[in-house]
Amino acid sequence: MFRIGEHVIHPGQGVCTVTGIEEDATPPMIILECKQGHAKTRMQYPLAQSDRLHATISREVAEDLIENYADIECDTFTERNSSLEESYFKKLIKEGAPATVRVAKTMRYRIRDAERRAKKPSTYYARVLKEAHRRSVEELAVAIGVSEEDIEERLAVVQSAFEASVN
């Protein structure tokens, strides 16, 4: 069971904070607050489905993901139907980090690869990249205890170093 003030990963929303538990409600609910962009959303989540929520990664795992960004392998999953491919990656994003970091790196690679070959990248790449990146930044910031802007800066540095090493 989660504690008030604890950060959890909601499969549809990303990082949320447990702000209350209403065991007397019918059905019993966990009260969550999530932040997407500048807005905060408060929602109720059935206590009976709390097994679908999980804690954010630890500080150590978050630091390791950033420090070893170059070692994260891109996902090689492909499908003839881009809709099925997009569904696969969106399902991974719901798991939280480290999956979100890997998906974001994969989408960056696929976009860059298509552009290098003078091809137009699939439109789903940008959609999936945006969501994977947003969720990665939120979870890494919470795990390390810094602002999202700090994480954006740190990721930009490791991504640039990685890009330079593969060119």
Side-chain angles (χ1 to χ4, degrees):
M1 177 93 122
F2 300 107
R3 296 179 316 276
I4 294 174
E6 186 175 1
H7 296 287
V8 297
I9 301 299
H10 180 285
Q13 301 296 320
V15 176
C16 294
T17 305
V18 177
T19 60
I21 299 172
E22 296 178 355
E23 293 185 44
D24 298 336
T26 306
M29 296 287 190
I30 299 172
I31 310 303
L32 300 172
E33 186 175 276
C34 61
K35 178 183 153 294
Q36 287 191 355
H38 299 292
K40 288 187 179 183
T41 303
R42 189 168 182 235
M43 62 185 173
Q44 296 181 329
Y45 195 83
L47 192 58
Q49 294 179 21
S50 63
D51 60 326
R52 294 183 64 211
L53 303 173
H54 62 277
T56 57
I57 56 174
S58 68
R59 179 185 187 103
E60 294 76 25
V61 170
E63 292 286 1
D64 186 59
L65 281 169
I66 294 170
E67 290 170 21
N68 297 303
Y69 181 83
D71 297 332
I72 297 170
E73 291 187 24
C74 289
D75 196 306
T76 59
F77 180 82
T78 58
E79 185 66 55
R80 285 186 183 190
N81 180 324
S82 64
S83 179
L84 293 174
E85 209 171 275
E86 182 175 7
S87 294
Y88 168 82
F89 286 108
K90 284 184 173 181
K91 184 177 179 185
L92 287 178
I93 290 171
K94 291 180 179 190
E95 297 174 11
T100 54
V101 176
R102 183 176 187 204
V103 169
K105 183 176 181 181
T106 299
M107 293 302 115
R108 273 189 197 88
Y109 173 79
R110 289 183 179 192
I111 290 168
R112 188 185 72 229
D113 184 54
E115 290 170 346
R116 266 198 215 135
R117 293 181 292 123
K119 301 237 179 197
K120 184 176 179 189
S122 177
T123 56
Y124 95 79
Y125 292 170
R127 284 192 304 269
V128 171
L129 172 58
K130 182 179 179 181
E131 184 65 9
H133 180 75
R134 178 188 70 80
R135 287 187 180 219
S136 296
V137 168
E138 282 181 358
E139 189 168 1
L140 292 168
V142 164
I144 296 173
V146 297
S147 72
E148 291 179 16
E149 292 77 18
D150 289 340
I151 294 299
E152 290 276 8
E153 289 173 14
R154 289 182 66 184
L155 285 175
V157 168
V158 296
Q159 288 163 355
S160 293
F162 174 71
E163 293 288 327
S165 72
V166 294
N167 288 333

